[in-house]
């Protein structure tokens, strides 16, 4: 049975089993009531009959008022596809036995195929101090709904960190809703700890609460980690600058990933625009997925360089901007792949990786996430250009900010700014090309009215490692005695 919750069916590999009992746990405010109602409205919209039973004293009018702004809320289904009942009085007056009888009668009279009980912590408290009574209530409910083929979702405010409880061993599935904080930020996570009769995606999966209700973003590594791209294409495509293609040995391989490293102002974004422009002119759908400049700014800059964003032989350029806010790593990854699949993207420019790094509270995830993302893009036939920003503008020591970047990038291009006497020059070097020969020199380039123009090899003879090189200066002779000592 589909839950209708975006991403949740993916986590549980298809949905919930008919006639099974599922326990949803989480502290107050975790979104349990929204999740329960979301499942109910989806089930009713597909022709199913649903009972939503509350064990709390609050009126249903207040509950429905809170759901009114949600996109899944459909008032025409209330009273027909969804019936709301309050079991608080039955529990208070007759205990668990009276509650069980009320549930049975209601399911029979309504012909319900889905039952959601909100506030199970009240039933647990009603059984105290006899814990066995609560366990027997779950067992009796499970036996009866199994015969009737009714799916049951129990919502409880019990803290998942309080250890294993009796009902945990009896229900068919357990879903935990958690929230953790790091500094001023908080992150909501969904964790399936048990799913009888089926495998599921392990680990914690991010979820958000919005006007859509709960939206779950399955963890990238769990969803795509087992996929393989196979052999790399031998077809080369232009990076958008003829001189750079020659240095690369004829362009970049189709489906490859190229990392552009350099400090701010070194020309990374302009190079990415050349890459996008070449795709648009070739009729290849292109996507700019950025974090720093909005779509109007990107298109305006490309126009100033004489580049086009409108396709003449096919789709043009799609620009997706992610404003610098509290981003969620898995949400960004799923959004990116959605755009790629929907628009048939063949060229992708991600500007830059720092935005993705800021979107996680767990920096240790970053290398594996990027690796899986690159593999998935390659499997979709996407040629990708990434930018990553180094910190020191004039430093001769280039450190890759993203760990293990060399493992998931086929090519690495380094863009630097160096001081030569009283001038600031831009230099480009090909640090790595996988399975391909490339030029080994340093090449001076300019950003002109038409974009990047690459000049001849830059002759450095002194200070190359310090970021303050001298051009055309002969190195002093090494004394013979020092040579001999070094040789020894």
């Amino acid at each position: 049975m589909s839950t209708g919750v975006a991403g949740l069916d993916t986590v549980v590999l298809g949905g919930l089993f008919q006639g099974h009992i599922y326990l949803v746990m989480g502290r107050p405010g975790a979104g349990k009531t929204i999740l329960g109602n979301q499942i109910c409205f989806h089930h009713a919209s597909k022709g199913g009959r649903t009972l939503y039973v509350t064990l709390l004293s609050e009126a249903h009018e207040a509950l429905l008022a809170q759901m009114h702004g949600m996109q899944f809320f459909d008032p025409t289904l209330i009273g027909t596809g969804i019936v709301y009942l309050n079991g608080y009085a039955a529990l208070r007056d007759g205990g668990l036995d009276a509650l069980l009888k009320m549930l049975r009668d209601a399911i029979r009279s309504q012909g319900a195929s889905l039952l959601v009980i909100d506030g199970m912590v009240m039933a647990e408290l009603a059984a105290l101090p006899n814990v066995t009574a609560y366990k027997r209530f779950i067992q009796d409910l499970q036996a009866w709904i199994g015969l009737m083929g009714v799916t049951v979702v129990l919502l409880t405010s019990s803290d998942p960190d309080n250890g294993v409880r009796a009902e945990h061993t009896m229900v068919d599935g357990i879903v935990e809703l958690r929230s953790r904080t790091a500094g001023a930020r908080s992150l909501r996570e969904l964790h399936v700890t048990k799913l009888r009769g089926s495998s599921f995606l392990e680990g914690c999966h991010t979820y958000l609460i919005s006007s859509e209700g709960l939206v779950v973003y399955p963890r990238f590594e769990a969803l795509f980690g087992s996929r393989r791209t196979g052999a790399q294409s031998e077809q080369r495509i232009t990076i958008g600058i003829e001189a750079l293609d020659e240095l690369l040995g004829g362009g970049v391989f189709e489906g490859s990933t190229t990392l552009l490293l350099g400090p701010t102002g070194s020309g990374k974004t302009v190079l990415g625009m050349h890459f996008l422009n070449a795709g648009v002119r070739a009729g290849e759908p292109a996507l700019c997925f950025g974090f720093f400049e909005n779509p109007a700014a990107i298109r305006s800059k490309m126009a100033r360089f004489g580049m086009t964003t409108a396709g003449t032989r096919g789709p043009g350029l799609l620009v997706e901007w992610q404003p610098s806010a509290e981003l969620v790593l898995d949400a960004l990854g799923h959004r990116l792949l959605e755009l790629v699949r929907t628009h048939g993207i063949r060229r992708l420019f991600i500007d830059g990786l720092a935005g993705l790094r800021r979107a996680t509270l767990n920096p240790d995830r970053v290398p594996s996430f990027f690796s899986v993302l690159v593999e998935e893009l390659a499997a979709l036939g996407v040629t990708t250009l990434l930018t990553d920003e180094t910190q020191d503008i004039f430093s001769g020591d280039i450190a890759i900010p993203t760990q293990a970047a060399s493992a998931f990038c086929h090519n690495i291009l380094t863009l630097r700014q160096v001081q030569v006497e009283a001038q600031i020059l831009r230099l480009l070097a090909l640090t790595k090309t996988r399975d391909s020969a490339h030029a080994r020199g340093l090449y001076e380039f300019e950003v002109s009215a038409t974009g990047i123009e690459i000049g001849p090899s830059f002759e450095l003879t002194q200070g190359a490692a310090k970021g303050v090189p001298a051009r055309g200066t002969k190195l002093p002779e090494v004394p013979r005695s020092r040579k001999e000592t070094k040789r020894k």
Side-chain angles (χ1 to χ4, degrees), residues 21 55 58 82 103 113 137 146 160 185 189-190 237 314 332 341 350 418 425 439-440 443 453 458 463 486 488:
I21 294 184
L55 302 183
E58 69 173 331
I82 304 175
L103 294 174
S113 52
F137 169 79
R185 289 191 59 185
E189 294 178 329
L190 179 146
I237 64 172
L332 288 173
R341 294 191 179 101
I350 301 179
V418 297
L425 302 180
R440 294 289 184 179
Y443 297 87
E453 295 182 3
F458 187 76
K486 192 171 182 181
K488 290 177 183 180

PDB file of all heavy atoms in Angstrom, residues 21 55 58 82 103 113 137 146 160 185 189-190 237 314 332 341 350 418 425 439-440 443 453 458 463 486 488:
ATOM      1  N   ILE A  21       0.958  -4.060  11.124  1.00  0.00           N
ATOM      2  CA  ILE A  21       0.938  -2.950  12.075  1.00  0.00           C
ATOM      3  C   ILE A  21       2.293  -2.255  12.057  1.00  0.00           C
ATOM      4  O   ILE A  21       3.346  -2.905  12.144  1.00  0.00           O
ATOM      5  CB  ILE A  21       0.635  -3.433  13.504  1.00  0.00           C
ATOM      6  CG1 ILE A  21      -0.784  -3.988  13.597  1.00  0.00           C
ATOM      7  CG2 ILE A  21       0.793  -2.293  14.505  1.00  0.00           C
ATOM      8  CD1 ILE A  21      -1.184  -4.406  15.001  1.00  0.00           C
ATOM      9  N   LEU A  55      -6.464   9.469  20.677  1.00  0.00           N
ATOM     10  CA  LEU A  55      -6.592   9.122  22.089  1.00  0.00           C
ATOM     11  C   LEU A  55      -6.275  10.317  22.967  1.00  0.00           C
ATOM     12  O   LEU A  55      -6.033  10.178  24.161  1.00  0.00           O
ATOM     13  CB  LEU A  55      -5.656   7.958  22.429  1.00  0.00           C
ATOM     14  CG  LEU A  55      -5.873   6.672  21.623  1.00  0.00           C
ATOM     15  CD1 LEU A  55      -4.934   5.572  22.107  1.00  0.00           C
ATOM     16  CD2 LEU A  55      -7.319   6.205  21.706  1.00  0.00           C
ATOM     17  N   GLU A  58      -7.908  16.654  22.693  1.00  0.00           N
ATOM     18  CA  GLU A  58      -8.138  17.799  21.815  1.00  0.00           C
ATOM     19  C   GLU A  58      -9.235  17.491  20.797  1.00  0.00           C
ATOM     20  O   GLU A  58      -9.401  16.355  20.356  1.00  0.00           O
ATOM     21  CB  GLU A  58      -6.858  18.217  21.105  1.00  0.00           C
ATOM     22  CG  GLU A  58      -6.351  17.230  20.066  1.00  0.00           C
ATOM     23  CD  GLU A  58      -5.176  17.778  19.272  1.00  0.00           C
ATOM     24  OE1 GLU A  58      -5.095  19.010  19.108  1.00  0.00           O
ATOM     25  OE2 GLU A  58      -4.353  16.971  18.824  1.00  0.00           O
ATOM     26  N   ILE A  82     -12.580   9.385   4.855  1.00  0.00           N
ATOM     27  CA  ILE A  82     -11.893   9.449   6.148  1.00  0.00           C
ATOM     28  C   ILE A  82     -12.909   9.777   7.237  1.00  0.00           C
ATOM     29  O   ILE A  82     -13.672  10.745   7.125  1.00  0.00           O
ATOM     30  CB  ILE A  82     -10.797  10.535   6.153  1.00  0.00           C
ATOM     31  CG1 ILE A  82      -9.800  10.315   5.018  1.00  0.00           C
ATOM     32  CG2 ILE A  82     -10.063  10.545   7.491  1.00  0.00           C
ATOM     33  CD1 ILE A  82      -8.769  11.413   4.901  1.00  0.00           C
ATOM     34  N   LEU A 103     -12.672   0.021  18.486  1.00  0.00           N
ATOM     35  CA  LEU A 103     -11.953  -0.048  17.218  1.00  0.00           C
ATOM     36  C   LEU A 103     -12.539  -1.118  16.308  1.00  0.00           C
ATOM     37  O   LEU A 103     -12.728  -0.904  15.104  1.00  0.00           O
ATOM     38  CB  LEU A 103     -10.467  -0.329  17.475  1.00  0.00           C
ATOM     39  CG  LEU A 103      -9.678   0.772  18.203  1.00  0.00           C
ATOM     40  CD1 LEU A 103      -8.259   0.296  18.513  1.00  0.00           C
ATOM     41  CD2 LEU A 103      -9.637   2.051  17.381  1.00  0.00           C
ATOM     42  N   SER A 113     -10.115   0.027   5.593  1.00  0.00           N
ATOM     43  CA  SER A 113      -8.952  -0.783   5.213  1.00  0.00           C
ATOM     44  C   SER A 113      -7.659  -0.200   5.780  1.00  0.00           C
ATOM     45  O   SER A 113      -6.601  -0.812   5.654  1.00  0.00           O
ATOM     46  CB  SER A 113      -8.843  -0.878   3.688  1.00  0.00           C
ATOM     47  OG  SER A 113      -8.885   0.421   3.092  1.00  0.00           O
ATOM     48  N   PHE A 137      -2.930  -5.951  24.492  1.00  0.00           N
ATOM     49  CA  PHE A 137      -3.753  -5.111  23.618  1.00  0.00           C
ATOM     50  C   PHE A 137      -3.181  -5.085  22.193  1.00  0.00           C
ATOM     51  O   PHE A 137      -3.920  -5.243  21.210  1.00  0.00           O
ATOM     52  CB  PHE A 137      -3.813  -3.689  24.196  1.00  0.00           C
ATOM     53  CG  PHE A 137      -4.404  -2.677  23.258  1.00  0.00           C
ATOM     54  CD1 PHE A 137      -5.782  -2.579  23.095  1.00  0.00           C
ATOM     55  CD2 PHE A 137      -3.588  -1.818  22.534  1.00  0.00           C
ATOM     56  CE1 PHE A 137      -6.332  -1.640  22.234  1.00  0.00           C
ATOM     57  CE2 PHE A 137      -4.128  -0.876  21.671  1.00  0.00           C
ATOM     58  CZ  PHE A 137      -5.506  -0.793  21.519  1.00  0.00           C
ATOM     59  N   GLY A 146      -5.272  -8.648  11.251  1.00  0.00           N
ATOM     60  CA  GLY A 146      -4.685  -9.555  10.274  1.00  0.00           C
ATOM     61  C   GLY A 146      -5.760 -10.340   9.548  1.00  0.00           C
ATOM     62  O   GLY A 146      -5.661 -10.573   8.331  1.00  0.00           O
ATOM     63  N   PRO A 160      12.407   7.430  21.076  1.00  0.00           N
ATOM     64  CA  PRO A 160      13.122   6.284  20.508  1.00  0.00           C
ATOM     65  C   PRO A 160      14.396   5.931  21.267  1.00  0.00           C
ATOM     66  O   PRO A 160      14.889   4.809  21.165  1.00  0.00           O
ATOM     67  CB  PRO A 160      13.459   6.755  19.082  1.00  0.00           C
ATOM     68  CG  PRO A 160      12.489   7.860  18.796  1.00  0.00           C
ATOM     69  CD  PRO A 160      12.249   8.517  20.111  1.00  0.00           C
ATOM     70  N   ARG A 185      21.716  25.203  13.770  1.00  0.00           N
ATOM     71  CA  ARG A 185      20.940  24.470  12.775  1.00  0.00           C
ATOM     72  C   ARG A 185      20.353  23.197  13.362  1.00  0.00           C
ATOM     73  O   ARG A 185      20.905  22.604  14.286  1.00  0.00           O
ATOM     74  CB  ARG A 185      21.820  24.099  11.575  1.00  0.00           C
ATOM     75  CG  ARG A 185      22.202  25.261  10.700  1.00  0.00           C
ATOM     76  CD  ARG A 185      22.838  24.756   9.410  1.00  0.00           C
ATOM     77  NE  ARG A 185      21.918  23.891   8.678  1.00  0.00           N
ATOM     78  CZ  ARG A 185      22.258  23.247   7.574  1.00  0.00           C
ATOM     79  NH1 ARG A 185      23.490  23.341   7.093  1.00  0.00           N
ATOM     80  NH2 ARG A 185      21.382  22.495   6.943  1.00  0.00           N
ATOM     81  N   GLU A 189      15.382  13.814  10.681  1.00  0.00           N
ATOM     82  CA  GLU A 189      15.798  12.549  10.079  1.00  0.00           C
ATOM     83  C   GLU A 189      14.777  11.451  10.354  1.00  0.00           C
ATOM     84  O   GLU A 189      14.227  11.349  11.457  1.00  0.00           O
ATOM     85  CB  GLU A 189      17.168  12.123  10.614  1.00  0.00           C
ATOM     86  CG  GLU A 189      18.302  13.049  10.196  1.00  0.00           C
ATOM     87  CD  GLU A 189      19.628  12.641  10.772  1.00  0.00           C
ATOM     88  OE1 GLU A 189      19.647  12.075  11.895  1.00  0.00           O
ATOM     89  OE2 GLU A 189      20.659  12.890  10.119  1.00  0.00           O
ATOM     90  N   LEU A 190      14.532  10.642   9.340  1.00  0.00           N
ATOM     91  CA  LEU A 190      13.646   9.482   9.439  1.00  0.00           C
ATOM     92  C   LEU A 190      14.501   8.230   9.404  1.00  0.00           C
ATOM     93  O   LEU A 190      15.381   8.098   8.546  1.00  0.00           O
ATOM     94  CB  LEU A 190      12.639   9.500   8.280  1.00  0.00           C
ATOM     95  CG  LEU A 190      11.640   8.349   8.181  1.00  0.00           C
ATOM     96  CD1 LEU A 190      10.308   8.866   7.636  1.00  0.00           C
ATOM     97  CD2 LEU A 190      12.151   7.221   7.287  1.00  0.00           C
ATOM     98  N   ILE A 237      34.152  15.487 -26.227  1.00  0.00           N
ATOM     99  CA  ILE A 237      33.352  16.664 -26.552  1.00  0.00           C
ATOM    100  C   ILE A 237      34.141  17.902 -26.160  1.00  0.00           C
ATOM    101  O   ILE A 237      35.018  17.850 -25.287  1.00  0.00           O
ATOM    102  CB  ILE A 237      31.980  16.652 -25.846  1.00  0.00           C
ATOM    103  CG1 ILE A 237      32.157  16.712 -24.324  1.00  0.00           C
ATOM    104  CG2 ILE A 237      31.164  15.447 -26.243  1.00  0.00           C
ATOM    105  CD1 ILE A 237      30.852  16.890 -23.581  1.00  0.00           C
ATOM    106  N   GLY A 314      17.856  22.862 -30.484  1.00  0.00           N
ATOM    107  CA  GLY A 314      17.276  22.058 -29.419  1.00  0.00           C
ATOM    108  C   GLY A 314      17.073  22.901 -28.177  1.00  0.00           C
ATOM    109  O   GLY A 314      17.072  24.130 -28.235  1.00  0.00           O
ATOM    110  N   LEU A 332      19.205  18.637  -2.093  1.00  0.00           N
ATOM    111  CA  LEU A 332      19.886  19.215  -3.256  1.00  0.00           C
ATOM    112  C   LEU A 332      20.215  18.137  -4.278  1.00  0.00           C
ATOM    113  O   LEU A 332      20.032  18.325  -5.483  1.00  0.00           O
ATOM    114  CB  LEU A 332      21.167  19.917  -2.819  1.00  0.00           C
ATOM    115  CG  LEU A 332      21.001  21.230  -2.050  1.00  0.00           C
ATOM    116  CD1 LEU A 332      22.355  21.704  -1.535  1.00  0.00           C
ATOM    117  CD2 LEU A 332      20.362  22.301  -2.924  1.00  0.00           C
ATOM    118  N   ARG A 341      16.959  14.394 -15.170  1.00  0.00           N
ATOM    119  CA  ARG A 341      16.073  13.413 -15.811  1.00  0.00           C
ATOM    120  C   ARG A 341      14.924  14.092 -16.550  1.00  0.00           C
ATOM    121  O   ARG A 341      14.573  13.696 -17.669  1.00  0.00           O
ATOM    122  CB  ARG A 341      15.524  12.451 -14.761  1.00  0.00           C
ATOM    123  CG  ARG A 341      16.575  11.549 -14.125  1.00  0.00           C
ATOM    124  CD  ARG A 341      15.912  10.459 -13.311  1.00  0.00           C
ATOM    125  NE  ARG A 341      16.888   9.569 -12.700  1.00  0.00           N
ATOM    126  CZ  ARG A 341      17.274   9.634 -11.434  1.00  0.00           C
ATOM    127  NH1 ARG A 341      16.751  10.569 -10.639  1.00  0.00           N
ATOM    128  NH2 ARG A 341      18.153   8.796 -10.947  1.00  0.00           N
ATOM    129  N   ILE A 350      28.162  22.661 -12.128  1.00  0.00           N
ATOM    130  CA  ILE A 350      27.851  22.886 -10.715  1.00  0.00           C
ATOM    131  C   ILE A 350      28.823  23.927 -10.170  1.00  0.00           C
ATOM    132  O   ILE A 350      30.028  23.698 -10.096  1.00  0.00           O
ATOM    133  CB  ILE A 350      27.959  21.590  -9.889  1.00  0.00           C
ATOM    134  CG1 ILE A 350      27.005  20.526 -10.439  1.00  0.00           C
ATOM    135  CG2 ILE A 350      27.648  21.862  -8.422  1.00  0.00           C
ATOM    136  CD1 ILE A 350      27.069  19.204  -9.692  1.00  0.00           C
ATOM    137  N   VAL A 418      48.768  34.853  -9.982  1.00  0.00           N
ATOM    138  CA  VAL A 418      50.132  34.993  -9.485  1.00  0.00           C
ATOM    139  C   VAL A 418      50.615  36.417  -9.693  1.00  0.00           C
ATOM    140  O   VAL A 418      50.162  37.130 -10.584  1.00  0.00           O
ATOM    141  CB  VAL A 418      51.098  34.014 -10.193  1.00  0.00           C
ATOM    142  CG1 VAL A 418      50.717  32.577  -9.923  1.00  0.00           C
ATOM    143  CG2 VAL A 418      51.147  34.298 -11.686  1.00  0.00           C
ATOM    144  N   LEU A 425      48.763  38.051 -12.782  1.00  0.00           N
ATOM    145  CA  LEU A 425      48.470  37.247 -13.965  1.00  0.00           C
ATOM    146  C   LEU A 425      47.625  36.042 -13.591  1.00  0.00           C
ATOM    147  O   LEU A 425      47.695  35.532 -12.466  1.00  0.00           O
ATOM    148  CB  LEU A 425      49.772  36.777 -14.627  1.00  0.00           C
ATOM    149  CG  LEU A 425      50.752  37.859 -15.062  1.00  0.00           C
ATOM    150  CD1 LEU A 425      51.979  37.218 -15.693  1.00  0.00           C
ATOM    151  CD2 LEU A 425      50.105  38.834 -16.040  1.00  0.00           C
ATOM    152  N   ALA A 439      48.725  18.339 -21.729  1.00  0.00           N
ATOM    153  CA  ALA A 439      49.841  19.278 -21.674  1.00  0.00           C
ATOM    154  C   ALA A 439      50.264  19.489 -20.224  1.00  0.00           C
ATOM    155  O   ALA A 439      49.431  19.552 -19.324  1.00  0.00           O
ATOM    156  CB  ALA A 439      49.442  20.602 -22.306  1.00  0.00           C
ATOM    157  N   ARG A 440      51.592  19.632 -20.018  1.00  0.00           N
ATOM    158  CA  ARG A 440      52.130  19.695 -18.667  1.00  0.00           C
ATOM    159  C   ARG A 440      52.514  21.106 -18.230  1.00  0.00           C
ATOM    160  O   ARG A 440      52.931  21.313 -17.095  1.00  0.00           O
ATOM    161  CB  ARG A 440      53.380  18.807 -18.575  1.00  0.00           C
ATOM    162  CG  ARG A 440      53.089  17.319 -18.740  1.00  0.00           C
ATOM    163  CD  ARG A 440      52.373  16.787 -17.531  1.00  0.00           C
ATOM    164  NE  ARG A 440      52.155  15.349 -17.592  1.00  0.00           N
ATOM    165  CZ  ARG A 440      51.567  14.653 -16.636  1.00  0.00           C
ATOM    166  NH1 ARG A 440      51.146  15.269 -15.538  1.00  0.00           N
ATOM    167  NH2 ARG A 440      51.382  13.363 -16.755  1.00  0.00           N
ATOM    168  N   TYR A 443      49.859  27.827 -18.305  1.00  0.00           N
ATOM    169  CA  TYR A 443      49.446  28.646 -19.440  1.00  0.00           C
ATOM    170  C   TYR A 443      48.753  29.905 -18.937  1.00  0.00           C
ATOM    171  O   TYR A 443      47.807  29.850 -18.152  1.00  0.00           O
ATOM    172  CB  TYR A 443      48.511  27.846 -20.363  1.00  0.00           C
ATOM    173  CG  TYR A 443      49.202  26.652 -20.971  1.00  0.00           C
ATOM    174  CD1 TYR A 443      49.235  25.438 -20.289  1.00  0.00           C
ATOM    175  CD2 TYR A 443      49.871  26.749 -22.185  1.00  0.00           C
ATOM    176  CE1 TYR A 443      49.902  24.340 -20.818  1.00  0.00           C
ATOM    177  CE2 TYR A 443      50.531  25.657 -22.732  1.00  0.00           C
ATOM    178  CZ  TYR A 443      50.545  24.466 -22.044  1.00  0.00           C
ATOM    179  OH  TYR A 443      51.219  23.393 -22.568  1.00  0.00           O
ATOM    180  N   GLU A 453      40.655  33.610 -23.016  1.00  0.00           N
ATOM    181  CA  GLU A 453      41.606  33.434 -24.114  1.00  0.00           C
ATOM    182  C   GLU A 453      42.906  32.903 -23.522  1.00  0.00           C
ATOM    183  O   GLU A 453      43.510  33.548 -22.665  1.00  0.00           O
ATOM    184  CB  GLU A 453      41.853  34.752 -24.843  1.00  0.00           C
ATOM    185  CG  GLU A 453      40.618  35.293 -25.561  1.00  0.00           C
ATOM    186  CD  GLU A 453      40.913  36.579 -26.307  1.00  0.00           C
ATOM    187  OE1 GLU A 453      42.095  37.006 -26.296  1.00  0.00           O
ATOM    188  OE2 GLU A 453      39.978  37.148 -26.893  1.00  0.00           O
ATOM    189  N   PHE A 458      53.654  29.431 -20.169  1.00  0.00           N
ATOM    190  CA  PHE A 458      54.239  30.453 -19.316  1.00  0.00           C
ATOM    191  C   PHE A 458      55.574  29.941 -18.780  1.00  0.00           C
ATOM    192  O   PHE A 458      55.630  28.914 -18.102  1.00  0.00           O
ATOM    193  CB  PHE A 458      53.276  30.764 -18.164  1.00  0.00           C
ATOM    194  CG  PHE A 458      53.691  31.912 -17.301  1.00  0.00           C
ATOM    195  CD1 PHE A 458      53.535  33.215 -17.733  1.00  0.00           C
ATOM    196  CD2 PHE A 458      54.221  31.693 -16.037  1.00  0.00           C
ATOM    197  CE1 PHE A 458      53.899  34.286 -16.928  1.00  0.00           C
ATOM    198  CE2 PHE A 458      54.584  32.755 -15.228  1.00  0.00           C
ATOM    199  CZ  PHE A 458      54.423  34.054 -15.678  1.00  0.00           C
ATOM    200  N   GLY A 463      60.786  30.708  -8.293  1.00  0.00           N
ATOM    201  CA  GLY A 463      59.674  31.049  -7.408  1.00  0.00           C
ATOM    202  C   GLY A 463      58.356  30.436  -7.807  1.00  0.00           C
ATOM    203  O   GLY A 463      57.310  30.894  -7.380  1.00  0.00           O
ATOM    204  N   LYS A 486      74.818  16.746  -2.400  1.00  0.00           N
ATOM    205  CA  LYS A 486      73.452  16.304  -2.690  1.00  0.00           C
ATOM    206  C   LYS A 486      73.480  14.924  -3.339  1.00  0.00           C
ATOM    207  O   LYS A 486      72.662  14.059  -3.053  1.00  0.00           O
ATOM    208  CB  LYS A 486      72.777  17.318  -3.619  1.00  0.00           C
ATOM    209  CG  LYS A 486      71.283  17.126  -3.758  1.00  0.00           C
ATOM    210  CD  LYS A 486      70.679  18.282  -4.515  1.00  0.00           C
ATOM    211  CE  LYS A 486      69.188  18.126  -4.612  1.00  0.00           C
ATOM    212  NZ  LYS A 486      68.558  19.221  -5.350  1.00  0.00           N
ATOM    213  N   LYS A 488      75.779  12.625  -2.976  1.00  0.00           N
ATOM    214  CA  LYS A 488      76.114  11.623  -1.961  1.00  0.00           C
ATOM    215  C   LYS A 488      74.900  11.291  -1.108  1.00  0.00           C
ATOM    216  O   LYS A 488      74.695  10.147  -0.711  1.00  0.00           O
ATOM    217  CB  LYS A 488      77.242  12.140  -1.084  1.00  0.00           C
ATOM    218  CG  LYS A 488      78.588  12.220  -1.797  1.00  0.00           C
ATOM    219  CD  LYS A 488      79.624  12.797  -0.881  1.00  0.00           C
ATOM    220  CE  LYS A 488      80.964  12.950  -1.608  1.00  0.00           C
ATOM    221  NZ  LYS A 488      81.995  13.511  -0.725  1.00  0.00           N
TER     222      LYS A 488
END
